[in-house]
């Protein structure tokens, strides 16, 4: 497998392209919007610089990684005509993805694998191709050139060979993968995050705690422990007898979900969308969005490098 095509150059697409190019793959990025392609190129310049500053990549590789290996085009047929693996990262809409997969089926070599980066859609129910054995979900996390995990989801007709091939390619570029043998809404990560978010909204909406306190609690307790023990092994350390007693403890009842969050609705109504608009639960207006993201990325890379070292000593 040599040539990768990424469809959609937005939040996810440009970073997925970089994740492949830094590991030696030729990547073509396609978007219907020439402005998005230009923006993706600029963002990857910044992303590369962040990787250099974090010591992850040699600055001398810039020309090769950013200009020789990645090509940006708004011509879909040109982007995918010699692709071995296509990753679709366009809008999260069934009709749009269905149309895209029909085009990809016509425009790609018959042996190419067609993957979707969908977060919640059961694409296996609606995409129609002549190669259902080669259709798969690869669910990446932002920023994809840094975050190690990719969730792989098998459809009812996806072949074991396709799963093995995709898993191998992703492992080869340094990703950690898990395979879900059948579609489950939210896969694993978004299910866990959604369960926690329900409690976050409950605490905020009912005035139990401020956003800063909830974040401090997460960072200073289970957030610190989770990279070492995960969520399941943590129970072995607590003692399973204690865990069992806590599970039966009637003082905790999962709040019923009202269908929306008052705190979130109030911010969105004021145009406070988070980092991208300068304000959300927090205020980011003292620096540009690029600087805010770079600051996060440098910290993530340092933490990841420490955790990678720790994994090596565990082996
Ligand atoms: N944003 C995240 O954190 C995240 C994480 C995991 C998965 N996803 C999933 O990845 C996919 C993309 O999400 P995103 O956040 O990058 O979206 P985005 O809106 O940032 O980018 C989507 C891009 O696709 C382009 N596009 C739309 N229709 C197209 C078409 N027909 N042909 C070519 N390009 C087209 C748009 O111009 C845009 O640049 C979605 O399915 C989303 O659910 C997103």
């Amino acid at each position: 497998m040599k040539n990768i095509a990424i469809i959609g150059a937005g939040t996810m697409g440009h970073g997925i392209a970089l994740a492949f190019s830094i590991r030696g793959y030729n990547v073509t990025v396609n978007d219907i919007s020439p402005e998005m392609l230009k923006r993706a190129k600029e963002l990857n310049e910044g992303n590369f610089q962040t990787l250099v500053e974090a010591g992850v990549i040699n600055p001398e590789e810039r020309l090769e990684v950013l200009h020789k290996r990645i090509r940006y085009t708004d011509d879909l047929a040109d982007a995918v005509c010699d692709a071995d693996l296509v990753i679709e990262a366009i809008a999260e809409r069934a009709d749009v993805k269905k149309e895209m997969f029909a085009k990809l089926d016509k425009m790609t070599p018959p042996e190419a694998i067609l993957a979707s980066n969908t977060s919640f859609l059961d694409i296996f129910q609606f995409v129609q191709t002549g190669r259902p054995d080669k259709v798969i979900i690869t669910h990446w996390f932002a920023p994809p050139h840094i975050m190690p995990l990719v969730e792989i989801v098998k459809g009812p007709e996806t072949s074991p060979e396709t799963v093995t091939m995709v898993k191998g390619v992703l492992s080869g570029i340094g990703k950690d993968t898990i395979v879900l043998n059948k579609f489950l809404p939210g896969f694993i990560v978004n299910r866990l995050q959604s369960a926690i978010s329900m409690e976050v909204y409950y605490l905020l909406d009912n005035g139990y705690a401020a956003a800063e306190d909830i974040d401090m609690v997460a960072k200073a307790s289970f957030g610190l422990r989770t990279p070492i023990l995960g969520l399941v092994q943590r129970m072995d350390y607590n003692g399973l007898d204690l865990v069992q007693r806590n599970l039966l403890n009637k003082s905790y009842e999962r709040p019923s979900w009202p269908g929306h969050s008052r705190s979130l609705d109030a911010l969105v109504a004021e145009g406070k969308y988070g980092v991208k608009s300068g304000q959300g639960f927090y205020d980011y207006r003292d620096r540009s969005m690029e600087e805010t993201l770079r600051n996060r990325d440098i910290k993530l890379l340092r933490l990841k490098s420490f955790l990678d070292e720790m994994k090596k000593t565990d082996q």
Side-chain angles (χ1 to χ4, degrees):
M1 192 163 285
K2 280 196 341 235
N3 299 326
I4 313 287
I6 311 296
I7 315 303
T11 307
M12 297 305 288
H14 74 278
I16 297 176
L18 186 61
F20 279 106
S21 82
I22 57 179
R23 296 303 189 109
Y25 281 93
N26 295 324
V27 190
T28 313
V29 183
N30 166 262
D31 201 290
I32 37 168
S33 155
E35 291 77 44
M36 287 305 287
L37 288 170
K38 186 166 167 281
R39 177 100 182 110
K41 210 170 176 177
E42 288 162 4
L43 288 172
N44 273 342
E45 290 280 351
N47 289 338
F48 184 89
Q49 189 53 33
T50 305
L51 294 175
V52 168
E53 282 169 36
V56 172
I57 200 160
N58 188 328
E60 280 154 24
E61 290 184 61
R62 172 182 296 274
L63 186 67
E64 191 68 32
V65 167
L66 291 179
H67 301 285
K68 290 197 180 158
R69 291 192 203 133
I70 311 187
R71 194 163 65 84
Y72 297 85
T73 172
D74 60 0
D75 181 338
L76 181 63
D78 173 41
V80 302
C81 63
D82 61 354
D84 301 304
L85 169 65
V86 181
I87 299 179
E88 166 276 308
I90 63 174
E92 185 73 343
R93 278 179 42 190
D95 55 341
V96 178
K97 289 197 194 292
K98 183 177 174 178
E99 193 186 330
M100 176 54 68
F101 270 74
K103 283 186 193 162
L104 292 175
D105 195 34
K106 285 202 193 90
M107 293 175 177
T108 54
E111 61 283 0
I113 293 175
L114 307 181
S116 174
N117 187 44
T118 181
S119 304
F120 290 99
L121 296 173
D122 187 354
I123 59 151
F124 306 110
Q125 296 298 318
F126 59 81
V127 302
Q128 284 162 353
T129 69
R131 60 182 101 182
D133 57 317
K134 295 188 176 63
V135 173
I136 196 162
I137 291 172
T138 56
H139 184 234
W140 299 61
F141 295 87
H145 59 292
I146 297 177
M147 295 296 281
L149 184 70
V150 181
E151 292 174 308
I152 297 172
V153 186
K154 205 174 162 293
E157 295 179 75
T158 313
S159 70
E161 292 75 24
T162 298
V163 175
T164 306
M165 178 74 90
V166 168
K167 205 171 152 49
V169 169
L170 293 172
S171 304
I173 62 163
K175 296 297 178 193
D176 293 328
T177 57
I178 59 107
V179 179
L180 281 182
N181 286 321
K182 55 184 175 185
F183 185 89
L184 173 73
F187 315 134
I188 296 182
V189 175
N190 284 342
R191 291 183 79 87
L192 295 175
Q193 285 196 155
S194 297
I196 292 179
S197 295
M198 292 300 131
E199 277 295 343
V200 170
Y201 300 134
Y202 179 77
L203 294 170
L204 287 171
D205 290 356
N206 293 289
Y208 287 109
E212 291 80 0
D213 290 337
I214 295 172
D215 284 344
M216 198 267 272
V217 162
K219 291 180 201 175
S221 64
F222 60 85
L224 184 61
R225 206 167 44 198
T226 303
I228 320 284
L229 295 176
L231 298 173
V232 179
Q233 193 178 22
R234 186 269 298 177
M235 295 191 242
D236 279 347
Y237 279 76
N238 282 0
L240 297 185
D241 50 340
L242 179 68
V243 171
Q244 187 189 41
R245 267 203 305 281
N246 287 347
L247 192 60
L248 299 173
N249 180 357
K250 289 284 180 256
S251 72
Y252 177 74
E253 269 181 37
R254 197 150 52 99
S256 60
W257 173 230
H260 70 109
S261 157
R262 288 194 303 276
S263 326
L264 189 64
D265 293 349
L267 290 169
V268 172
E270 286 178 54
K272 295 178 179 170
Y273 299 148
V275 171
K276 63 182 170 186
S277 70
Q279 280 175 289
F281 287 106
Y282 294 75
D283 198 325
Y284 306 93
R285 287 173 298 172
D286 60 336
R287 51 175 80 173
S288 68
M289 184 180 100
E290 279 75 14
E291 274 177 279
T292 303
L293 294 178
R294 199 178 143 277
N295 183 35
R296 173 202 63 180
D297 291 353
I298 288 276
K299 288 178 187 162
L300 281 174
L301 284 162
R302 287 199 187 128
L303 185 59
K304 184 172 173 295
S305 151
F306 174 75
L307 292 170
D308 286 346
E309 277 307 308
M310 196 177 64
K311 255 195 229 164
K312 275 189 222 152
T313 57
D314 281 351
Q315 280 160 4

